[in-house]
Amino acid sequence: MARLKVAVLISGRGSNLQALIDACADADFPAGIVLVISDVPGVQGLSRAGKAGIPAAVVDGKDFEGRDRFEDALTGTLLEAGPELVCLAGFMRVLGDGFVGRWRGRLINIHPSLLPAFKGVHVHERVVEAGVRISGCTVHFVRPAVDDGPIIVQAAVPVHADDDADALAARVLSQEHRIYPLAVRLIAEGRVRVVDEHVLIDGAAIPEGALVNPVDG
Ligand code: GRF
């Protein structure tokens, strides 16, 4: 079976990229990474791609005048690799309507909260500050609004009384590394449909496999 061609867009550390690289290293995994693009030169994620022998490119936001030109360059670079799915993995730029529309249905993101709660940045600080008991992470299709779009997979984690943002971030991150490959797998298996802006996982009335219950750690 042909593997789904995936491109991954990063801006930094690339630990989610690494989780996808590791998943794709399994010959039975139904997707493979054809290209990594960073909008920042010299980041750790680019080294991870290099070590895995995956083609990588830098499309540096600073080299372009305005978001449209940057996003045209991004699309041009993507098209050369012909991805069927584009994964944002710690990509720290807000993408415009043109780019999001161009890749609609083929563009997904991971966010370190249980969306639609805690959109935006400094998520874990705000979660701890709010005193909520459960947090988590979400993989979703990208829509023009920031951190918005049909939810594919979520994982929940407990928030402990003595957590600071770093402790919570680490607990959430370990779940991110589980659910991003899971979401890519579900899409690659052709099991994901969007109906009325809700994701349906083929063969499951309840989106079985799209929910990871709270875990400790
Ligand atoms: C992750 O927490 C992800 O949810 C958020 O940015 C962070 C990226 O981390 N969008 P990494 O670069 O994948 O390690």
Side-chain angles (χ1 to χ4, degrees):
M1 191 189 73
R3 304 173 102 201
L4 190 80
K5 293 183 190 171
V6 174
V8 185
L9 269 51
I10 60 166
S11 300
R13 177 180 58 181
S15 71
N16 278 289
L17 165 64
Q18 188 67 55
L20 293 170
I21 290 172
D22 293 346
C24 292
D26 180 347
D28 291 335
F29 194 75
I33 302 173
V34 294
L35 178 66
V36 172
I37 302 179
S38 173
D39 67 324
V40 180
V43 296
Q44 190 186 356
L46 287 167
S47 318
R48 295 179 191 270
K51 269 192 200 127
I54 296 167
V58 174
V59 181
D60 189 341
K62 290 198 223 79
D63 292 344
F64 299 91
E65 263 190 37
R67 186 161 77 179
D68 287 353
R69 296 222 173 135
F70 166 71
E71 291 177 359
D72 286 348
L74 208 53
T75 289
T77 305
L78 281 169
L79 289 176
E80 284 170 30
E84 297 158 289
L85 180 70
V86 178
C87 297
L88 306 180
F91 186 72
M92 296 308 287
R93 274 171 196 273
V94 175
L95 292 162
D97 293 6
F99 185 90
V100 171
R102 170 81 178 69
W103 295 96
R104 189 181 167 97
R106 295 174 294 159
L107 180 62
I108 65 176
N109 181 45
I110 187 155
H111 183 75
S113 77
L114 290 176
L115 291 175
F118 299 103
K119 297 178 179 184
V121 294
H122 306 303
V123 169
H124 305 298
E125 286 87 342
R126 290 189 286 127
V127 166
V128 168
E129 172 67 24
V132 300
R133 297 289 189 233
I134 295 174
S135 191
C137 44
T138 304
V139 180
H140 64 96
F141 285 105
V142 175
R143 294 292 185 256
V146 174
D147 298 327
D148 185 46
I151 291 166
I152 306 164
V153 186
Q154 293 187 307
V157 305
V159 183
H160 296 315
D162 60 353
D163 273 347
D164 60 14
D166 288 347
L168 179 59
R171 193 175 307 118
V172 171
L173 193 64
S174 67
Q175 297 306 308
E176 294 185 41
H177 298 162
R178 292 177 66 193
I179 69 168
Y180 219 171
L182 171 58
V184 170
R185 171 189 286 280
L186 291 170
I187 291 169
E189 290 174 345
R191 297 180 61 195
V192 172
R193 279 183 301 142
V194 180
V195 178
D196 294 336
E197 289 298 86
H198 287 163
V199 167
L200 301 180
I201 309 285
D202 193 34
I206 299 169
E208 183 194 338
L211 172 69
V212 178
N213 287 323
V215 291
D216 225 329

